[in-house]
Amino acid sequence: MITLTEENYIKAIYHLSKHGKEMVSTNALAEAMSTKASSATDMVKKLAEKNYVDYKKYQGAILTESGSTIAINVIRKHRLWEVFLVDKLHFSWDEVHELAEQLEHIKSQKLIDKLDAFLGHPTHDPHGDPIPDKHGDFTFIDKITLAQAQINATYKCVGVNDSSSEFLQYLNNNKIELGTKIEVLHKEAFDSSIKIKVNELEMVVSNSVAQNLYIQKT
Amino acid sequence: MITLTEENYIKAIYHLSKHGKEMVSTNALAEAMSTKASSATDMVKKLAEKNYVDYKKYQGAILTESGSTIAINVIRKHRLWEVFLVDKLHFSWDEVHELAEQLEHIKSQKLIDKLDAFLGHPTHDPHGDPIPDKHGDFTFIDKITLAQAQINATYKCVGVNDSSSEFLQYLNNNKIELGTKIEVLHKEAFDSSIKIKVNELEMVVSNSVAQNLYIQKT
DNA sequence: ATAAATTTTTAGATTAGTCTAAAAATTTAT
DNA sequence: ATAAATTTTTAGACTAATCTAAAAATTTAT
């Protein structure tokens, strides 16, 4: 039986390894888990023993097939619960992450299947992140960051890179949500800030905002 | 911060003390928690230290006001989740207990408030047990067991005492659910079995079934 | 009312996950 | 290429929750 802590480490390794297939260092893992390197080492050894990761001393860890399956399943649960919280319980998209962190550990395949059906088999969560299907397959969409947009083109918002509540609340304040139409008017050479038109209103966003907003040509 | 284990012990103490106000012995608690008496002693000491119970050596434990509040809140969450699982996800009433045991530990007052509203502020769970409101108040309904029924009277099913999946499946097999009309035809003096008419069909139920089925005069 | 049976507590050990501090290996810089 | 800096691991200790075995208290039975 896998423990809650093991599951969280596996999820962190998955995210740090960029969808599963590069080595993750002990320090990076410790940082992500808000713990000390020594704890990460211990855990990685345990995960290796259980065959969830391959681990080489001083080199880092990488998920095995079985570890990857676990990670993807946790991510699936996390994102389905987020959809539930936003679509059914009317939470705002900036409130759901912590709750989904708890709900993702509920163990029941049947529950997830039924929740998935109840929600209409959504392919993306409230932040635009893809929800793996029950076979673990993701639907990737073609997206770029606002920072990469062409001038005078029109896009729609399809996701965020940073889904911290601070960033999401910034977007809320500016009435930007998934699907919002964005016209790119001008890019300032000096600081890479971008002038856009959203909801009939012109505004300027910093480069750091632009880097974290995913858009798609309409 | 209260741990998951502490919360489960508090819930067990609540149930064993019959709605909160009689002493619970260490042995009874250990039995309910499927653990050893020594573990129950240790935990009860810890709960006493945190002021969730009053504990006297060799005499047992009883919930304090704050312990009782915690217990009732966990029960509220458990029963609301059961309603969600049955009403929204279409689980059968015999499948939801274990899942609710997991879901009841999700920590978020806002989630519970929103779930409660989403479900239409239900007063009873799928087994007929009352759901405490957000102030911790229960709506008790006037009910008796089928074993206490009068001959030739008509009742409806309003709950179960034993909500094990075995018993619930027995009821499923006989098309008895909450609200089902039950006519009491005859009581056998020898073994206290009862002949009833349900869904136009006559059947005999054992005393042990009758003791576990709650009914109300129609 | 005293012995026997039962219940409860204590003592000491174990496991999971964490920590600090120190040692070892690796990487970076001169 | 060797020293300095950094990263990683090891060693030993701590807490929460559990266990077994033994001691202590209480209850039951004669």
Side-chain angles (χ1 to χ4, degrees):
Chain A
M1 188 36 69
I2 191 167
T3 69
L4 190 147
T5 310
E6 288 169 353
E7 221 168 65
N8 279 329
Y9 270 92
I10 288 173
K11 187 177 51 142
I13 294 169
Y14 182 87
H15 286 306
L16 290 170
S17 69
K18 310 279 170 213
H19 295 278
K21 288 295 160 189
E22 55 185 65
M23 282 279 183
V24 172
S25 78
T26 302
N27 253 15
L29 183 55
E31 161 84 27
M33 294 299 295
S34 310
T35 187
K36 296 300 157 74
S38 54
S39 305
T41 301
D42 285 351
M43 181 53 78
V44 151
K45 282 187 192 168
K46 185 153 69 118
L47 294 177
E49 206 136 292
K50 293 190 173 188
N51 262 294
Y52 298 134
V53 303
D54 291 326
Y55 166 62
K56 290 261 160 51
K57 265 195 195 184
Y58 294 100
Q59 292 183 213
I62 189 166
L63 291 176
T64 60
E65 196 65 31
S66 104
S68 200
T69 301
I70 289 168
I72 290 169
N73 196 245
V74 173
I75 290 166
R76 171 169 162 77
K77 291 192 279 182
H78 182 106
R79 293 180 180 169
L80 283 172
W81 280 115
E82 286 194 341
V83 173
F84 169 71
L85 294 171
V86 169
D87 286 9
K88 302 295 181 180
L89 297 195
H90 311 302
F91 276 89
S92 162
W93 68 346
D94 58 292
E95 303 176 300
V96 296
H97 184 75
E98 285 69 25
L99 258 170
E101 290 281 305
Q102 295 184 59
L103 288 160
E104 72 188 8
H105 298 293
I106 302 295
K107 282 175 188 24
S108 166
Q109 188 55 57
K110 190 165 184 180
L111 171 60
I112 286 310
D113 291 346
K114 280 175 174 284
L115 184 63
D116 188 29
F118 179 60
L119 300 172
H121 304 288
T123 59
H124 292 80
D125 78 9
H127 313 110
D129 294 317
I131 301 174
D133 68 18
K134 65 185 307 186
H135 310 297
D137 298 324
F138 290 85
T139 310
F140 289 106
I141 60 176
D142 235 339
K143 65 189 186 215
I144 58 173
T145 68
L146 176 54
Q148 301 165 314
Q150 294 168 9
I151 309 304
N152 292 322
T154 303
Y155 299 86
K156 69 175 176 198
C157 171
V158 296
V160 294
N161 177 35
D162 172 0
S163 54
S164 70
S165 52
E166 291 74 27
F167 183 55
L168 297 173
Q169 281 167 21
Y170 166 87
L171 296 178
N172 286 347
N173 293 339
N174 291 286
K175 302 273 180 292
I176 297 171
E177 52 190 60
L178 292 196
T180 299
K181 193 178 120 190
I182 297 177
E183 278 180 72
V184 179
L185 304 179
H186 177 74
K187 187 165 181 172
E188 180 56 53
F190 172 62
D191 64 356
S192 300
S193 64
I194 297 177
K195 184 186 279 184
I196 60 178
K197 191 172 181 183
V198 171
N199 301 311
E200 313 302 319
L201 250 107
E202 286 187 16
M203 65 179 287
V204 175
V205 301
S206 70
N207 178 252
S208 125
V209 166
Q211 299 267 11
N212 282 304
L213 195 63
Y214 290 126
I215 58 177
Q216 189 180 50
K217 269 252 172 71
T218 49
Chain B
M1 187 36 69
I2 191 166
T3 69
L4 190 149
T5 310
E6 288 169 354
E7 220 168 66
N8 279 329
Y9 270 92
I10 288 172
K11 187 177 51 142
I13 294 169
Y14 182 88
H15 286 306
L16 290 169
S17 69
K18 309 278 170 212
H19 296 279
K21 288 294 160 187
E22 55 187 64
M23 282 280 184
V24 172
S25 79
T26 302
N27 252 15
L29 184 54
E31 161 85 27
M33 294 300 294
S34 308
T35 186
K36 295 300 157 73
S38 55
S39 305
T41 301
D42 285 350
M43 180 53 79
V44 151
K45 282 187 192 168
K46 185 153 69 118
L47 294 177
E49 206 137 290
K50 294 191 173 189
N51 262 295
Y52 298 134
V53 303
D54 291 327
Y55 166 62
K56 289 262 161 49
K57 266 194 194 183
Y58 295 100
Q59 290 182 215
I62 189 165
L63 290 176
T64 60
E65 196 65 29
S66 104
S68 199
T69 300
I70 289 168
I72 289 169
N73 197 245
V74 173
I75 289 167
R76 170 168 161 78
K77 291 192 278 182
H78 182 106
R79 292 180 182 169
L80 283 172
W81 280 116
E82 286 195 342
V83 173
F84 169 71
L85 294 171
V86 169
D87 285 10
K88 303 295 182 181
L89 298 194
H90 310 302
F91 276 88
S92 161
W93 69 346
D94 58 293
E95 303 176 298
V96 296
H97 184 75
E98 285 69 25
L99 258 170
E101 290 282 303
Q102 295 184 59
L103 289 160
E104 72 189 8
H105 298 293
I106 303 294
K107 283 176 188 20
S108 165
Q109 188 55 57
K110 190 165 184 180
L111 171 61
I112 286 310
D113 291 346
K114 280 177 173 283
L115 184 64
D116 188 28
F118 180 60
L119 299 173
H121 304 287
T123 58
H124 291 81
D125 79 9
H127 313 110
D129 293 317
I131 301 174
D133 68 19
K134 65 185 310 188
H135 310 296
D137 298 323
F138 291 85
T139 310
F140 290 106
I141 60 175
D142 234 339
K143 66 189 183 211
I144 58 173
T145 68
L146 176 55
Q148 301 166 314
Q150 293 168 10
I151 308 304
N152 292 321
T154 303
Y155 300 87
K156 68 175 177 198
C157 171
V158 297
V160 295
N161 178 35
D162 171 2
S163 54
S164 69
S165 52
E166 291 75 28
F167 182 54
L168 296 172
Q169 281 167 21
Y170 166 88
L171 297 177
N172 287 347
N173 293 339
N174 291 286
K175 303 271 181 295
I176 298 171
E177 52 190 60
L178 293 196
T180 299
K181 194 178 118 189
I182 296 177
E183 280 181 69
V184 179
L185 304 178
H186 176 74
K187 186 166 183 172
E188 180 57 53
F190 172 62
D191 63 358
S192 300
S193 65
I194 297 178
K195 184 186 281 185
I196 61 179
K197 191 172 180 181
V198 171
N199 302 310
E200 313 303 319
L201 250 110
E202 285 187 16
M203 64 178 289
V204 174
V205 301
S206 70
N207 178 251
S208 123
V209 166
Q211 298 267 9
N212 282 304
L213 194 65
Y214 290 126
I215 58 176
Q216 190 181 49
K217 269 251 172 73
T218 49

